Amino acid sequence: MEQIKYVLAAVFFIALGLAKEGPAFAEGFSFTSASLYDSLTVTLPAVEEELSPEDMLYGEHDNSERAEFLKSAEEKFWEGVKIKNTGGIKIAFSHGEGVFSFTTAKDRQAKDIKFSYGIKASTKDLLPFTLTALWGTLGLGGSVSKMRSPFFGIPSAFTGGTSASQGLSATLPAVSASGGGEERFAFGAEYVSKNKNLSVSLDSTFTLQGEWAASAGAQVKSAGLTMGAALTAGSFIYGRKSGTSWFKAEKPFCERNYLSLSGQVWFKNLSLGNILKAEGDACIFVYESPFGGAFLALRTQGMIFFPFLGDARLGFGFSVADRDTVTSSGAKVKSPYQFYTNAQYSWQTGGALSKAGLTFYGEEAAFTIKARYRLSFGSGTILWGGSFSQTDEQPQKLGTELSFSWLFPRLTSVTEAEISYDIKGKKASFTGEESLSFRKSLVQGMTLAVSGTGGEGGVKLSKMTFTMTLKNKSRRIPLTARLSISALF
């Protein structure tokens, strides 16, 4: 029955999208475009050496193991080939769109297929306010994403600063990826004043299994200053199994609905003349505890700009939570606190523009320093980056990256290399990539990437990947095709 539902959804999208003239009630949803996508990924395994008769006879083996031993290296190679195909279609209407995508994967063990789908309808430009309805394997972001993971990732040296979100956001699945996902419904309403200085939004989503989330947000603009606030509540299903080990690092709890709440305020473009400008956001999260009571988490980020110094900025952020906090994702926070500071500065020398950035990040059992420098001149860009990190798992680790970008009349070339070195283990890993992007060509881009390791035993290449992307120039029915071939060593 599940397969039939997916097929019917695909037929519905195609039939509705390609019908240029529909009944009178559907005139507001006239066909605009249909985007097609297909990607084929082939992974070739490393070549295995054939076993000698002595190796086959060594020890005791069952019949299946003996049969595996008798296979030639060529047979094992072709059995180990992995093939993955992702395809999809996105049909756009004047006031809506639909997406259907699939992914099939085949390897030695099994063949798997996953589907993603979604429909979106909107009353934008039809009413004084906008109503939106979505259905399918939707993605959730905004405040719900922050509730699931209240701690931010390690910022780069060129971090963009704060990330304000006016409540939850539901999105259709990408046509270029299909991971299945849970079917859900989402509804939204937004009002924007004519001068766009005031916006109010209400959003909600729910699943037939009993999960739900709702948010209310508002944003005001005045004299260049933007301020906003949002409240979000949700009930999510998760649990933690007891397992069979006698040692339990984390206490188990039953799977059921747990309530989560969050509140967020933010501001942008706060100006004090030509001295400084600032932006920032703060969030508070309350999670129902599976063990009774509630968990509390706080998160804030900010960035200060110094116009009188040119393009200079200073960023910061920190989060705190109870050590045993279980978020709405069902996972425990990785640390009871985290913090970072970031400094960036840009300057121009002659016809060249330079930018430098530095980030210090810390949490309970980890510390990271990141640095970056970028030089842009004429049609070229050079980027260098370095990092040092220390964690419980990897006591000391160094990293560096270098890239060159060149802009030509008909193409752009980007060469990148990255090396990571484990000081204690005295071993390194590296990646290298060359990308060509073409303009006004059926071939949109080509990429050759390699990765490997190095140490006292020498350098070993582990993987090589070639990728080519093709795209036609049709605005009404654009088609993107992607071929990727990887070889393991």
Side-chain angles (χ1 to χ4, degrees):
M1 292 300 295
E2 288 293 317
Q3 304 290 345
I4 295 176
K5 179 176 66 173
Y6 296 135
V7 173
L8 290 177
V11 173
F12 171 78
F13 290 142
I14 297 174
L16 186 59
L18 298 179
K20 298 182 180 180
E21 296 183 1
F25 72 87
E27 291 181 357
F29 293 87
S30 57
F31 171 75
T32 302
S33 64
S35 303
L36 303 174
Y37 177 87
D38 190 74
S39 172
L40 179 64
T41 301
V42 180
T43 303
L44 306 177
V47 178
E48 298 183 12
E49 295 182 1
E50 294 192 25
L51 296 175
S52 65
E54 292 78 9
D55 294 329
M56 297 181 190
L57 295 174
Y58 181 77
E60 296 182 0
H61 307 286
D62 57 28
N63 291 332
S64 61
E65 290 174 327
R66 293 191 182 95
E68 188 71 20
F69 289 152
L70 293 174
K71 291 180 180 178
S72 65
E74 184 178 355
E75 288 179 300
K76 293 180 180 180
F77 174 83
W78 290 113
E79 286 185 356
V81 173
K82 296 181 180 180
I83 300 176
K84 180 180 178 181
N85 180 229
T86 298
I89 179 172
K90 178 180 179 181
I91 301 176
F93 312 97
S94 54
H95 293 92
E97 56 186 351
V99 174
F100 179 83
S101 62
F102 67 91
T103 294
T104 61
K106 176 188 175 298
D107 57 21
R108 184 180 300 182
Q109 283 73 31
K111 182 177 182 181
D112 186 27
I113 182 168
K114 296 180 180 179
F115 296 94
S116 293
Y117 54 92
I119 298 176
K120 176 181 178 181
S122 172
T123 64
K124 188 175 181 179
D125 301 327
L126 297 178
L127 298 173
F129 50 89
T130 301
L131 298 176
T132 305
L134 299 92
W135 165 77
T137 53
L138 310 178
L140 290 182
S143 57
V144 171
S145 178
K146 290 183 177 180
M147 289 172 67
R148 293 182 181 275
S149 181
F151 281 16
F152 41 78
I154 302 177
S156 75
F158 289 165
T159 180
T162 61
S163 56
S165 56
Q166 193 170 330
L168 70 87
S169 62
T171 57
L172 294 177
V175 70
S176 59
S178 179
E182 193 171 16
E183 183 178 275
R184 65 176 63 247
F185 299 84
F187 301 94
E190 183 182 30
Y191 169 76
V192 181
S193 62
K194 290 184 178 180
N195 57 10
K196 297 184 179 181
N197 287 335
L198 171 66
S199 63
V200 180
S201 63
L202 299 172
D203 296 278
S204 64
T205 181
F206 66 91
T207 68
L208 297 180
Q209 287 70 37
E211 285 194 345
W212 61 268
S215 69
Q219 182 171 279
V220 179
K221 296 181 180 180
S222 177
L225 175 64
T226 301
M227 297 181 294
L231 296 173
T232 305
S235 179
F236 305 92
I237 301 174
Y238 51 87
R240 185 186 297 156
K241 296 182 179 180
S242 59
T244 57
S245 174
W246 64 272
F247 175 77
K248 305 294 188 301
E250 297 180 354
K251 188 177 179 180
F253 55 88
C254 65
E255 182 173 305
R256 63 174 178 85
N257 282 76
Y258 294 93
L259 183 64
S260 300
L261 305 171
S262 75
Q264 180 182 13
V265 293
W266 68 88
F267 66 90
K268 287 194 174 185
N269 299 322
L270 175 64
S271 177
L272 296 177
N274 195 39
I275 300 176
L276 62 84
K277 294 182 180 180
E279 63 181 44
D281 72 271
C283 305
I284 182 171
F285 307 91
V286 181
Y287 303 100
E288 179 185 357
S289 171
F291 317 111
F295 294 120
L296 182 67
L298 301 173
R299 161 178 166 162
T300 184
Q301 290 178 276
M303 183 162 282
I304 303 174
F305 304 84
F306 303 93
F308 71 95
L309 294 176
D311 189 1
R313 61 186 68 182
L314 179 65
F316 64 90
F318 68 88
S319 300
V320 292
D322 185 280
R323 183 181 301 276
D324 297 320
T325 296
V326 179
T327 72
S328 57
S329 67
K332 197 173 80 169
V333 293
K334 60 180 181 179
S335 170
Y337 66 88
Q338 63 171 177
F339 66 90
Y340 78 87
T341 58
N342 169 261
Q344 299 178 50
Y345 185 65
S346 299
W347 69 96
Q348 190 163 358
T349 305
L353 178 64
S354 296
K355 182 177 182 178
L358 184 65
T359 293
F360 293 90
Y361 171 89
E363 58 183 62
E364 184 181 35
F367 179 73
T368 300
I369 302 175
K370 290 185 176 182
R372 263 191 171 187
Y373 172 75
R374 183 176 65 205
L375 176 65
S376 302
F377 55 93
S379 58
T381 300
I382 300 175
L383 175 67
W384 172 87
S387 66
F388 171 82
S389 62
Q390 183 169 331
T391 65
D392 286 345
E393 293 78 14
Q394 293 180 330
Q396 290 182 333
K397 187 176 180 181
L398 291 172
T400 185
E401 60 175 322
L402 185 64
S403 70
F404 302 91
S405 176
W406 307 100
L407 181 65
F408 298 99
R410 291 186 175 273
L411 65 89
T412 299
S413 171
V414 179
T415 305
E416 299 177 311
E418 185 173 346
I419 300 175
S420 178
Y421 181 69
D422 181 353
I423 298 177
K424 183 178 180 180
K426 296 183 179 180
K427 57 183 178 180
S429 61
F430 64 87
T431 59
E433 184 175 297
E434 171 64 32
S435 299
L436 299 176
S437 301
F438 301 92
R439 288 179 290 277
K440 299 180 180 180
S441 172
L442 176 64
V443 180
Q444 190 178 45
M446 292 189 297
T447 301
L448 179 64
V450 296
S451 61
T453 58
E456 295 179 353
V459 178
K460 179 183 178 182
L461 187 65
S462 58
K463 186 176 181 180
M464 179 181 293
T465 302
F466 173 76
T467 303
M468 182 171 62
T469 304
L470 307 176
K471 187 174 182 179
N472 66 0
K473 300 302 178 182
S474 173
R475 293 184 178 181
R476 196 168 180 83
I477 307 181
L479 170 62
T480 302
R482 181 177 178 272
L483 173 64
S484 179
I485 301 176
S486 298
L488 304 180
F489 299 94

